[in-house]
Amino acid sequence: MIERAQHLAAEARDAVHGASSTADLEEVRVRYLGRKAELPQMLRQVSQLPAEERGGAGQALNEARRAIESAVAGRAAELEEAELVARLERDRIDVTLPGDPVRELGRLHLITQTRREIEDVFLGLGFDVAEGPEVDLVHYNFDALNHAPGHPARAWTDTFYVSEDVVLRTHTSPVQIRAMEAAPPPLYVIVPGRVFRPDSDATHTPQFHQVEGLAVDEDVTLADLHGTLLAFARATFGDEREVRLRPHFFPFTEPSVEVDVSCFQCRGTGSVDGGRCPLCKGERWIEILGAGMVDPNVFGYVREYGYDPERIQGFAFGMGVERIAMLKHEVPDLRLFYDNDVRFLEQFG
Amino acid sequence: MRAPLEWLHDYVRPDLPAAELAERLDMTGTKVERVERHGVGALDAFVVGRVLEAERHPDADRLTVCRVDVGGGAEASIVCGAPNVATGQTVAVARPGAVMPDGTELRAAKLRGVVSEGMILAEDELGIGTDHTEILVLDGGAAPGTPLVEVLPIATDVLELEITPNRPDCLGVYGVAREVHAATGAPLQAPPWSEDPGSAGGVEGVEIEVRDPDLAPRFTARRFDDVTIAPSPPWLKARLMAAGQRPINNVVDITNYVMLLTGQPLHAFDLDRVAGGRLVVRRARDGEEVETLDGEVRRLDPDVVVIEDAEGPTSIAGVMGGARSEVSQDTTRVLMEVATWIGPNIQRTSLRLGLRSEASARFEKQLQPEQAMEAQAVAAQLMVQLCGARLVEGTIDVGGPGPEPAVLALREARVAGLLGAAIPSGRSAEILRSLGFGVADGEVLSVTVPHWRRGDVEREVDLIEEVARIDGVDRLPATLPARPDRGGALSAEQHARRRVEDALVAQGLYEIQGWSFQGPSVADRLRLPEGDPRRGAVRLANPLSEEQSVLRTTLLGSLLDAAAHNAAHGHPDVRLFELGAVYPARADGHVPAAARGPAAERPGAGELPDEARRVGALLCGALAPASWRSPDAPRADFFAAKGALAALLDWMRVPWSVQSAREPFLHPGRCATVLLDGEPAGWLGELHPLVAESWDVQGAAGFELDLDRLAALAAARAARFRDVTSFPPVRQDLAVVLPAEVPAARALDVVRKAGGDLLRSVRVFDVYRGEQVGEGRVSLALALEFQAPDRTLTDEEVAERRTAIAAALAAELGGELRG
Ligand SMILES: [Zn+2]
């Protein structure tokens, strides 16, 4: 009996190994361990054996059964995995079909995206962000910025008027004055915001956006303006960029400069693939903003708030947000910014 | 300002190609917009010729076949159409290969069967005049074959300059020459007015009276007799043409030429047509009329200065001459007037009358009185030389030269302190001298400002600018401000506004930038009733158009405009938002931030609108694009808008709620007021179908909130840690049947109050109306979550709260628990 059990166990183990599917294996299991199979029947007969034989036989038979069960379980795991692998292999999708997003993402407007990029550069340089009203007083927009009473920028052709003393601000510069009225020096702020001028064509919209900068301290210099704007230009247009200051005239700065950045399309060479660079028109430089040292007359308007032109000095600059965005992203027409066409909006932000 | 190099070279001749000169001027503050080539090209092909023989063309009456000596023993057969061509003339010839001013290249051609090996030229064909009726006949001095460019200025580079408003002295060729001298170091010739053929004292037969010297600081006049009106010589015409002025006749050309050279406009009167030989300078009377040179009759006001003779006004001072005393073909006596006016007044006059001229453009920048006599001197030379005129003794001069020159100190330390780089005093002195300033050396430079810079250089800082720009601001080092004390940061409100943008982008909304102005009809299209504060829009005094004439009071119009634009371009399903300003007229008693503080005292402070920031969103049509898996996306409606709003406000951690409300532009049954921290702060709802129709958009819903308030609330609420893991929550559902008119929010309020601190959250997860709950009743299924921060809740505690909630719902709202 014991021999028979050992024989059955060996035979069953071979059969288990020979099973090539879970169905096969089930058949093998029934054949050796099923109700009517030999080994279970022998197990049931153990109780009828003489007492002295029962222990040995029972132990041998149980061992044989456990050996078969363990072989079946082991083989079952192997076969199930193989069958899963085969099933998965057959379960193929077209991975090139479009995805189905949990939720489509929206977009920031290119103006906001650009404004944030500019803000972040200057935040890193130690400037705060100041803001002011878009409808403002002539005092802040012109008078305190040293625009003579007859200055052409004040004309109705150049400024939207609400009344004799109230205008839609033509630049973010009035916030310079408001910021100085609000806090004594040292003052390091940039002023992003919407401004207005009565012009409308491919390069002018009656509203657009600027970022103004103002640094006032005891020892801020024109060279500091140079370094600050160089840092800005490199952060915005690439680490290899240079900036160039060019003398100019603005009523509220003295000296005044226009600031050029070396062309990032032709890398300042003026030519691309042997032809004239389309971005800088072969000039090698691109004008990006106006700047200068704050005119002492401007401080004269805020002297009582701690701005004594004999004690402090400062620089100021102003740039067009749309202009920076157009340069960076090759947007050809300013009016696209205000059509709010989703086919435009989805390209940025 | 156009500065022909050929002309400029009379006074300064830098050894630089035009492009390099332009760059150098650019880098010293005189912006060169472009360098233009004026005149002809391929100069070798233009020569002096002599007509050896001129015969009528065999097949064309109007053409002449000429045999022309073109030098070097060569002859050319040239067909000419001009009536004045004749044997023996010295003429200007273009040979094949010549490039004409319009850029075309000349080739040998057959004209009615006769070969023409070139062209005998008229002045317009050389770009040196406008006459096309006759060929140019040169004087006989030049030999055939001489390059034409040696005889006539037929080609020059022209610098197109942008002169900033502070530099009227550069509105003349000599002023530009001074800048070129300072910028390049090339020697500067003496000014053309160094020799004045005139004399001082009264002028016989002419009387001038200046009644308003405050508007006419200087008025000078000279008399020229025996004037012969004729065309100007080619060299003068050529310079005018290159500078962009059409030649007229010698006297008018001289006034233009002298203006272009000195920057100072002049006016030539026909003295015989100045009634009474007397000019009076005075303010115009209100409503007074004058006929200007362009034939228009202009109505004037007392801020306009006129020059009148015995018969009334003949010209508008500084802006335009009158037709009556204009120089004509018959003029023999000229009164040359050169005056100084007040710039802003001229600018105002020119704007008011819509009249802008080369003269007014210069006067409005404020010319200096000394310039008047400079122009008189040059004009006198030319009148005598070119018009055969006799300069009558004397010069009328009312007002005289300007004030004594200012003397300014320039400290070396101040230069370094402002620029951040040292420039030695010696270098500063050299630069200032090159610009015409007088400099006395010393520890501190003592600098005398020349009259032509009087209006622009008044302080030490102005001198520093002069020194810096010529020395080269592009050479300054790049340093950063030395301020170690702090870094920059967004304010909490600014940071909150960025989070608002990000939250809406994350929900699939596209940001737009709408117009701050709109048409007045938008208020009607939004169905705003009379008296609605949002109708009180601020109106622009000078809008570009009626459609952009008032400032917006809500973002909704902008959002609808954008949605309509996209719908019209095939994209009706859009989800949009904007953060921007609105500008309602001021409500009684409310003072906007812009008018507080020091601004309160300023003129106009009371007229500033109630400018405020808003955030608005508009959802139209399908909320997501149809995909191959989900062809039917949900569509925009009240709850979609509310979902977006809820996600935004919850993320901003601002306490909020909504109440049923009405807005004229919203569906009356699907409209709510949004409360932030208990205070109304905006609207939420589905658009009124008639409003949607007015913009041609479909199925739209949205919201608009007071962004300043939202940002302030968010800024005041820092996120603080709340324990979620230590003690487990107990979740229970509860269904309550309520009268249908009880708002869900009210039920939730009651539940929250009754639930007390242990009720961590409650939310509606099902709403049922129907037979099972009966007419006029609604069943709300609520998910409750109880949790304590310091212990595990017992079943008894939870049961007690639940009972309290049920009791409160029953007592306060007539609710009964279901199932
Ligand atoms: Zn380039």
Side-chain angles (χ1 to χ4, degrees), chain A residues 98 106 109 112 116 119 129 131 134 150 159 161 163 181 188 194 207 224 254 258 295 342, chain B residues 31 347 459 462 479 483 494 497-498 501 505 511 514 516 541-542 566 583 602 607 611 628:
Chain A
H109 194 284
T112 301
R116 284 192 186 190
E119 284 175 355
V129 176
E131 290 159 311
E134 295 171 14
T159 302
Y161 280 84
S163 68
E181 284 181 349
Y188 291 80
R194 182 173 283 193
Q207 71 183 25
D224 291 340
E254 184 87 353
E258 283 187 325
D295 193 294
V342 291
Chain B
K31 195 172 207 171
Q347 186 191 11
R459 305 158 302 176
D462 301 323
T479 53
R483 46 186 309 268
Q494 288 160 350
R497 275 186 261 139
R498 283 198 182 190
E501 292 162 352
V505 166
E511 189 195 9
S516 288
N542 53 336
N566 283 294
Y583 321 82
R602 314 241 181 252
E607 298 156 33
E611 185 175 331
W628 60 279

Tab-separated table of all heavy atoms in Angstrom, chain A residues 98 106 109 112 116 119 129 131 134 150 159 161 163 181 188 194 207 224 254 258 295 342, chain B residues 31 347 459 462 479 483 494 497-498 501 505 511 514 516 541-542 566 583 602 607 611 628:
chain	number	residue	atom	x	y	z
A	98	PRO	N	-6.741	58.986	-29.977
A	98	PRO	CA	-6.508	60.108	-29.058
A	98	PRO	C	-6.875	59.767	-27.629
A	98	PRO	O	-7.769	58.964	-27.371
A	98	PRO	CB	-7.412	61.215	-29.603
A	98	PRO	CG	-8.321	60.581	-30.584
A	98	PRO	CD	-7.724	59.280	-31.019
A	106	GLY	N	-7.047	74.706	-19.647
A	106	GLY	CA	-7.244	75.988	-20.317
A	106	GLY	C	-5.913	76.646	-20.602
A	106	GLY	O	-4.860	75.994	-20.611
A	109	HIS	N	-3.765	83.860	-21.129
A	109	HIS	CA	-3.554	84.706	-22.307
A	109	HIS	C	-2.057	85.008	-22.426
A	109	HIS	O	-1.356	85.118	-21.411
A	109	HIS	CB	-4.340	86.003	-22.149
A	109	HIS	CG	-4.482	86.795	-23.402
A	109	HIS	ND1	-3.456	87.545	-23.920
A	109	HIS	CD2	-5.516	86.945	-24.260
A	109	HIS	CE1	-3.867	88.127	-25.039
A	109	HIS	NE2	-5.126	87.779	-25.265
A	112	THR	N	-0.815	87.737	-20.240
A	112	THR	CA	-0.623	87.365	-18.830
A	112	THR	C	0.631	86.515	-18.659
A	112	THR	O	1.423	86.715	-17.741
A	112	THR	CB	-1.851	86.583	-18.318
A	112	THR	OG1	-3.001	87.417	-18.475
A	112	THR	CG2	-1.695	86.201	-16.869
A	116	ARG	N	3.722	87.753	-16.423
A	116	ARG	CA	4.251	86.971	-15.297
A	116	ARG	C	5.738	86.693	-15.469
A	116	ARG	O	6.500	86.756	-14.494
A	116	ARG	CB	3.517	85.637	-15.201
A	116	ARG	CG	2.147	85.730	-14.613
A	116	ARG	CD	1.722	84.303	-14.332
A	116	ARG	NE	0.357	84.200	-13.873
A	116	ARG	CZ	-0.142	83.058	-13.392
A	116	ARG	NH1	0.600	81.963	-13.360
A	116	ARG	NH2	-1.384	83.000	-12.983
A	119	GLU	N	7.496	89.841	-14.601
A	119	GLU	CA	7.407	90.056	-13.145
A	119	GLU	C	8.389	89.149	-12.411
A	119	GLU	O	9.092	89.592	-11.504
A	119	GLU	CB	5.984	89.750	-12.641
A	119	GLU	CG	4.952	90.814	-12.959
A	119	GLU	CD	3.532	90.407	-12.545
A	119	GLU	OE1	3.331	89.255	-12.095
A	119	GLU	OE2	2.633	91.230	-12.683
A	129	VAL	N	6.033	94.460	-6.932
A	129	VAL	CA	5.099	94.797	-8.001
A	129	VAL	C	4.103	95.826	-7.467
A	129	VAL	O	3.394	95.558	-6.503
A	129	VAL	CB	4.358	93.545	-8.501
A	129	VAL	CG1	3.328	93.922	-9.553
A	129	VAL	CG2	5.368	92.534	-9.059
A	131	GLU	N	0.920	98.671	-8.369
A	131	GLU	CA	-0.165	98.828	-9.335
A	131	GLU	C	-0.867	100.155	-9.108
A	131	GLU	O	-0.768	100.734	-8.033
A	131	GLU	CB	-1.163	97.672	-9.193
A	131	GLU	CG	-0.565	96.356	-9.663
A	131	GLU	CD	-1.271	95.133	-9.112
A	131	GLU	OE1	-1.497	95.072	-7.903
A	131	GLU	OE2	-1.599	94.257	-9.910
A	134	GLU	N	-6.106	102.638	-13.970
A	134	GLU	CA	-5.979	102.806	-15.424
A	134	GLU	C	-6.578	104.131	-15.873
A	134	GLU	O	-6.167	104.694	-16.881
A	134	GLU	CB	-6.665	101.624	-16.130
A	134	GLU	CG	-5.950	100.307	-15.842
A	134	GLU	CD	-6.706	99.089	-16.345
A	134	GLU	OE1	-7.647	99.224	-17.149
A	134	GLU	OE2	-6.345	97.970	-15.921
A	150	GLY	N	2.636	122.137	-23.066
A	150	GLY	CA	2.346	121.974	-24.487
A	150	GLY	C	2.887	120.678	-25.069
A	150	GLY	O	2.944	120.531	-26.290
A	159	THR	N	-3.944	111.132	-26.565
A	159	THR	CA	-4.411	110.730	-25.233
A	159	THR	C	-5.931	110.705	-25.204
A	159	THR	O	-6.571	111.606	-25.720
A	159	THR	CB	-3.908	111.758	-24.177
A	159	THR	OG1	-2.486	111.816	-24.221
A	159	THR	CG2	-4.343	111.356	-22.788
A	161	TYR	N	-9.160	111.386	-23.274
A	161	TYR	CA	-9.578	112.203	-22.136
A	161	TYR	C	-10.972	111.807	-21.674
A	161	TYR	O	-11.851	111.540	-22.492
A	161	TYR	CB	-9.563	113.689	-22.501
A	161	TYR	CG	-8.182	114.294	-22.452
A	161	TYR	CD1	-7.312	114.184	-23.532
A	161	TYR	CD2	-7.729	114.954	-21.308
A	161	TYR	CE1	-6.030	114.715	-23.482
A	161	TYR	CE2	-6.452	115.490	-21.241
A	161	TYR	CZ	-5.608	115.368	-22.333
A	161	TYR	OH	-4.348	115.895	-22.270
A	163	SER	N	-12.087	113.858	-18.909
A	163	SER	CA	-12.410	115.262	-18.668
A	163	SER	C	-11.085	116.010	-18.763
A	163	SER	O	-10.053	115.411	-19.055
A	163	SER	CB	-13.048	115.440	-17.287
A	163	SER	OG	-12.076	115.186	-16.281
A	181	GLU	N	4.673	108.564	-3.659
A	181	GLU	CA	3.827	109.198	-2.642
A	181	GLU	C	3.492	108.220	-1.522
A	181	GLU	O	3.276	108.613	-0.387
A	181	GLU	CB	2.514	109.700	-3.269
A	181	GLU	CG	2.668	110.970	-4.080
A	181	GLU	CD	1.344	111.450	-4.670
A	181	GLU	OE1	0.345	110.699	-4.625
A	181	GLU	OE2	1.325	112.573	-5.184
A	188	TYR	N	12.055	100.020	-4.925
A	188	TYR	CA	12.358	99.199	-6.104
A	188	TYR	C	11.057	98.527	-6.530
A	188	TYR	O	10.597	97.587	-5.874
A	188	TYR	CB	13.413	98.140	-5.789
A	188	TYR	CG	14.794	98.707	-5.528
A	188	TYR	CD1	15.124	99.260	-4.294
A	188	TYR	CD2	15.762	98.695	-6.530
A	188	TYR	CE1	16.382	99.797	-4.055
A	188	TYR	CE2	17.026	99.225	-6.296
A	188	TYR	CZ	17.328	99.771	-5.062
A	188	TYR	OH	18.581	100.287	-4.837
A	194	ARG	N	-2.352	97.951	-17.880
A	194	ARG	CA	-2.962	98.301	-19.162
A	194	ARG	C	-2.881	99.813	-19.388
A	194	ARG	O	-3.074	100.572	-18.440
A	194	ARG	CB	-4.426	97.843	-19.166
A	194	ARG	CG	-5.144	98.109	-20.459
A	194	ARG	CD	-6.528	97.486	-20.453
A	194	ARG	NE	-6.470	96.042	-20.665
A	194	ARG	CZ	-7.554	95.297	-20.952
A	194	ARG	NH1	-8.739	95.860	-21.036
A	194	ARG	NH2	-7.436	94.009	-21.141
A	207	GLN	N	-5.580	99.984	-26.791
A	207	GLN	CA	-5.124	99.604	-25.454
A	207	GLN	C	-3.982	98.608	-25.626
A	207	GLN	O	-3.947	97.842	-26.587
A	207	GLN	CB	-6.250	98.994	-24.621
A	207	GLN	CG	-6.672	97.610	-25.090
A	207	GLN	CD	-7.851	97.052	-24.297
A	207	GLN	OE1	-8.642	97.790	-23.737
A	207	GLN	NE2	-7.965	95.745	-24.245
A	224	ASP	N	23.838	100.732	-13.190
A	224	ASP	CA	22.939	99.767	-12.540
A	224	ASP	C	21.735	99.474	-13.428
A	224	ASP	O	21.237	98.339	-13.469
A	224	ASP	CB	22.450	100.296	-11.189
A	224	ASP	CG	23.564	100.359	-10.148
A	224	ASP	OD1	24.581	99.660	-10.335
A	224	ASP	OD2	23.409	101.107	-9.173
A	254	GLU	N	16.577	111.756	-17.398
A	254	GLU	CA	17.718	112.548	-17.836
A	254	GLU	C	18.962	111.982	-17.157
A	254	GLU	O	19.047	112.073	-15.943
A	254	GLU	CB	17.494	114.016	-17.469
A	254	GLU	CG	18.557	114.949	-17.959
A	254	GLU	CD	18.295	115.444	-19.379
A	254	GLU	OE1	17.333	114.932	-20.017
A	254	GLU	OE2	19.031	116.294	-19.859
A	258	GLU	N	17.430	104.573	-25.082
A	258	GLU	CA	16.660	103.446	-25.585
A	258	GLU	C	17.549	102.227	-25.424
A	258	GLU	O	18.776	102.334	-25.476
A	258	GLU	CB	16.257	103.658	-27.043
A	258	GLU	CG	15.100	104.632	-27.152
A	258	GLU	CD	14.528	104.755	-28.548
A	258	GLU	OE1	15.287	104.669	-29.521
A	258	GLU	OE2	13.315	104.954	-28.656
A	295	ASP	N	14.406	112.102	-13.916
A	295	ASP	CA	14.704	113.533	-13.980
A	295	ASP	C	14.470	114.160	-12.602
A	295	ASP	O	13.452	113.889	-11.964
A	295	ASP	CB	13.797	114.197	-15.022
A	295	ASP	CG	14.273	115.598	-15.359
A	295	ASP	OD1	14.242	116.491	-14.484
A	295	ASP	OD2	14.685	115.796	-16.518
A	342	VAL	N	-9.864	81.545	-30.022
A	342	VAL	CA	-9.309	80.389	-29.291
A	342	VAL	C	-8.175	79.726	-30.072
A	342	VAL	O	-7.285	79.107	-29.481
A	342	VAL	CB	-10.386	79.332	-28.947
A	342	VAL	CG1	-11.342	79.887	-27.901
A	342	VAL	CG2	-11.142	78.875	-30.174
B	31	LYS	N	18.888	109.796	-33.764
B	31	LYS	CA	18.446	108.529	-34.339
B	31	LYS	C	18.335	108.637	-35.855
B	31	LYS	O	17.662	109.527	-36.374
B	31	LYS	CB	17.091	108.151	-33.758
B	31	LYS	CG	16.709	106.709	-34.004
B	31	LYS	CD	15.454	106.369	-33.228
B	31	LYS	CE	15.375	104.902	-32.890
B	31	LYS	NZ	14.278	104.642	-31.964
B	347	GLN	N	1.844	125.188	-31.431
B	347	GLN	CA	1.358	123.808	-31.468
B	347	GLN	C	-0.158	123.763	-31.309
B	347	GLN	O	-0.870	123.058	-32.024
B	347	GLN	CB	2.008	123.015	-30.333
B	347	GLN	CG	1.651	121.553	-30.402
B	347	GLN	CD	2.060	120.817	-29.143
B	347	GLN	OE1	2.431	121.415	-28.151
B	347	GLN	NE2	2.004	119.519	-29.213
B	459	ARG	N	20.459	122.434	-16.364
B	459	ARG	CA	20.932	121.932	-15.073
B	459	ARG	C	22.182	121.080	-15.276
B	459	ARG	O	22.477	120.657	-16.382
B	459	ARG	CB	19.839	121.080	-14.422
B	459	ARG	CG	18.524	121.794	-14.270
B	459	ARG	CD	17.380	120.798	-14.133
B	459	ARG	NE	17.305	119.909	-15.282
B	459	ARG	CZ	16.460	118.889	-15.395
B	459	ARG	NH1	15.626	118.634	-14.424
B	459	ARG	NH2	16.458	118.131	-16.464
B	462	ASP	N	21.666	117.913	-17.088
B	462	ASP	CA	21.557	118.013	-18.549
B	462	ASP	C	22.952	117.976	-19.188
B	462	ASP	O	23.133	117.427	-20.269
B	462	ASP	CB	20.831	119.298	-18.935
B	462	ASP	CG	19.417	119.361	-18.331
B	462	ASP	OD1	18.767	118.307	-18.258
B	462	ASP	OD2	18.991	120.454	-17.926
B	479	THR	N	26.215	96.866	-13.923
B	479	THR	CA	26.254	96.516	-12.501
B	479	THR	C	24.821	96.376	-11.989
B	479	THR	O	23.888	96.778	-12.675
B	479	THR	CB	26.965	97.625	-11.692
B	479	THR	OG1	26.335	98.874	-11.986
B	479	THR	CG2	28.436	97.702	-12.079
B	483	ARG	N	21.994	96.529	-2.983
B	483	ARG	CA	21.022	96.653	-1.882
B	483	ARG	C	20.772	95.273	-1.291
B	483	ARG	O	19.926	94.529	-1.725
B	483	ARG	CB	19.730	97.278	-2.343
B	483	ARG	CG	19.186	96.720	-3.634
B	483	ARG	CD	17.990	97.521	-4.062
B	483	ARG	NE	17.045	97.647	-2.974
B	483	ARG	CZ	16.034	96.808	-2.754
B	483	ARG	NH1	15.874	95.764	-3.525
B	483	ARG	NH2	15.201	97.018	-1.786
B	494	GLN	N	-1.686	89.985	-4.892
B	494	GLN	CA	-1.184	89.675	-6.242
B	494	GLN	C	-1.008	88.167	-6.407
B	494	GLN	O	-1.332	87.603	-7.448
B	494	GLN	CB	0.148	90.405	-6.479
B	494	GLN	CG	-0.038	91.909	-6.655
B	494	GLN	CD	1.235	92.697	-6.420
B	494	GLN	OE1	2.239	92.159	-5.938
B	494	GLN	NE2	1.211	93.972	-6.754
B	497	ARG	N	-4.342	86.612	-6.927
B	497	ARG	CA	-4.881	86.790	-8.283
B	497	ARG	C	-4.243	85.795	-9.253
B	497	ARG	O	-4.904	85.288	-10.147
B	497	ARG	CB	-4.661	88.231	-8.746
B	497	ARG	CG	-5.774	89.156	-8.270
B	497	ARG	CD	-5.609	90.537	-8.849
B	497	ARG	NE	-4.991	91.419	-7.877
B	497	ARG	CZ	-4.057	92.315	-8.149
B	497	ARG	NH1	-3.608	92.442	-9.378
B	497	ARG	NH2	-3.569	93.076	-7.211
B	498	ARG	N	-2.965	85.512	-9.058
B	498	ARG	CA	-2.350	84.481	-9.907
B	498	ARG	C	-3.019	83.135	-9.672
B	498	ARG	O	-3.233	82.352	-10.589
B	498	ARG	CB	-0.857	84.364	-9.605
B	498	ARG	CG	-0.012	85.461	-10.211
B	498	ARG	CD	1.444	85.019	-10.243
B	498	ARG	NE	2.316	86.051	-10.762
B	498	ARG	CZ	3.592	85.832	-11.057
B	498	ARG	NH1	4.133	84.642	-10.875
B	498	ARG	NH2	4.342	86.810	-11.530
B	501	GLU	N	-6.234	82.900	-11.577
B	501	GLU	CA	-5.975	82.572	-12.983
B	501	GLU	C	-5.673	81.079	-13.140
B	501	GLU	O	-6.230	80.403	-14.016
B	501	GLU	CB	-4.774	83.383	-13.503
B	501	GLU	CG	-5.018	84.879	-13.622
B	501	GLU	CD	-3.729	85.703	-13.707
B	501	GLU	OE1	-2.621	85.136	-13.532
B	501	GLU	OE2	-3.826	86.914	-13.931
B	505	VAL	N	-7.667	78.210	-15.315
B	505	VAL	CA	-6.967	77.489	-16.387
B	505	VAL	C	-7.041	75.980	-16.131
B	505	VAL	O	-7.295	75.188	-17.034
B	505	VAL	CB	-5.496	77.953	-16.488
B	505	VAL	CG1	-4.686	76.993	-17.351
B	505	VAL	CG2	-5.429	79.366	-17.064
B	511	GLU	N	-8.103	82.172	-20.927
B	511	GLU	CA	-8.136	83.575	-20.520
B	511	GLU	C	-8.232	84.475	-21.747
B	511	GLU	O	-7.562	84.242	-22.753
B	511	GLU	CB	-6.877	83.951	-19.730
B	511	GLU	CG	-6.994	85.338	-19.116
B	511	GLU	CD	-5.666	85.922	-18.630
B	511	GLU	OE1	-4.620	85.321	-18.923
B	511	GLU	OE2	-5.708	86.964	-17.980
B	514	GLY	N	-10.193	91.472	-22.864
B	514	GLY	CA	-11.256	92.226	-23.533
B	514	GLY	C	-10.900	93.698	-23.641
B	514	GLY	O	-9.921	94.160	-23.060
B	516	SER	N	-11.291	97.545	-22.809
B	516	SER	CA	-11.776	98.341	-21.687
B	516	SER	C	-12.906	99.252	-22.119
B	516	SER	O	-13.705	99.680	-21.307
B	516	SER	CB	-10.637	99.194	-21.111
B	516	SER	OG	-9.738	98.379	-20.415
B	541	ALA	N	-14.034	111.648	-23.885
B	541	ALA	CA	-14.283	112.911	-24.585
B	541	ALA	C	-13.886	112.791	-26.049
B	541	ALA	O	-14.447	113.458	-26.907
B	541	ALA	CB	-13.496	114.033	-23.906
B	542	ASN	N	-12.914	111.938	-26.336
B	542	ASN	CA	-12.407	111.832	-27.717
B	542	ASN	C	-12.224	110.371	-28.110
B	542	ASN	O	-11.106	109.912	-28.324
B	542	ASN	CB	-11.078	112.592	-27.853
B	542	ASN	CG	-10.058	112.166	-26.814
B	542	ASN	OD1	-10.409	111.665	-25.753
B	542	ASN	ND2	-8.788	112.331	-27.123
B	566	ASN	N	-15.643	83.912	-31.587
B	566	ASN	CA	-15.280	82.513	-31.814
B	566	ASN	C	-16.423	81.730	-32.457
B	566	ASN	O	-16.184	80.883	-33.320
B	566	ASN	CB	-14.829	81.871	-30.505
B	566	ASN	CG	-13.422	82.296	-30.137
B	566	ASN	OD1	-12.460	81.965	-30.841
B	566	ASN	ND2	-13.279	83.076	-29.083
B	583	TYR	N	-15.067	100.053	-14.832
B	583	TYR	CA	-14.960	101.469	-14.469
B	583	TYR	C	-16.348	102.086	-14.291
B	583	TYR	O	-16.738	102.968	-15.050
B	583	TYR	CB	-14.196	102.231	-15.547
B	583	TYR	CG	-13.024	101.477	-16.146
B	583	TYR	CD1	-13.227	100.536	-17.170
B	583	TYR	CD2	-11.723	101.697	-15.700
B	583	TYR	CE1	-12.155	99.836	-17.718
B	583	TYR	CE2	-10.647	100.999	-16.251
B	583	TYR	CZ	-10.873	100.071	-17.252
B	583	TYR	OH	-9.819	99.388	-17.796
B	602	ARG	N	-5.891	116.586	-5.631
B	602	ARG	CA	-5.470	116.985	-6.975
B	602	ARG	C	-6.677	117.303	-7.845
B	602	ARG	O	-7.746	116.717	-7.666
B	602	ARG	CB	-4.672	115.860	-7.627
B	602	ARG	CG	-3.621	115.254	-6.708
B	602	ARG	CD	-2.240	115.430	-7.275
B	602	ARG	NE	-1.255	114.818	-6.387
B	602	ARG	CZ	-0.409	115.521	-5.636
B	602	ARG	NH1	-0.437	116.841	-5.662
B	602	ARG	NH2	0.464	114.910	-4.873
B	607	GLU	N	-13.521	113.239	-10.207
B	607	GLU	CA	-14.077	112.697	-11.454
B	607	GLU	C	-13.563	111.291	-11.763
B	607	GLU	O	-13.923	110.716	-12.791
B	607	GLU	CB	-13.712	113.625	-12.628
B	607	GLU	CG	-14.290	115.023	-12.477
B	607	GLU	CD	-13.487	116.051	-13.276
B	607	GLU	OE1	-12.969	115.688	-14.349
B	607	GLU	OE2	-13.374	117.191	-12.806
B	611	GLU	N	-13.065	102.554	-10.292
B	611	GLU	CA	-12.343	101.473	-10.970
B	611	GLU	C	-12.119	100.300	-10.010
B	611	GLU	O	-11.743	100.487	-8.865
B	611	GLU	CB	-11.004	102.017	-11.472
B	611	GLU	CG	-10.224	101.028	-12.284
B	611	GLU	CD	-8.953	101.669	-12.865
B	611	GLU	OE1	-8.926	102.887	-13.110
B	611	GLU	OE2	-7.983	100.919	-13.070
B	628	TRP	N	-13.927	60.365	-29.107
B	628	TRP	CA	-14.402	59.101	-29.666
B	628	TRP	C	-14.990	58.204	-28.602
B	628	TRP	O	-15.766	57.318	-28.876
B	628	TRP	CB	-13.278	58.414	-30.446
B	628	TRP	CG	-12.061	58.097	-29.595
B	628	TRP	CD1	-11.077	58.957	-29.244
B	628	TRP	CD2	-11.729	56.839	-29.021
B	628	TRP	NE1	-10.141	58.334	-28.476
B	628	TRP	CE2	-10.512	57.021	-28.327
B	628	TRP	CE3	-12.329	55.570	-29.017
B	628	TRP	CZ2	-9.887	55.986	-27.636
B	628	TRP	CZ3	-11.691	54.543	-28.332
B	628	TRP	CH2	-10.487	54.760	-27.650
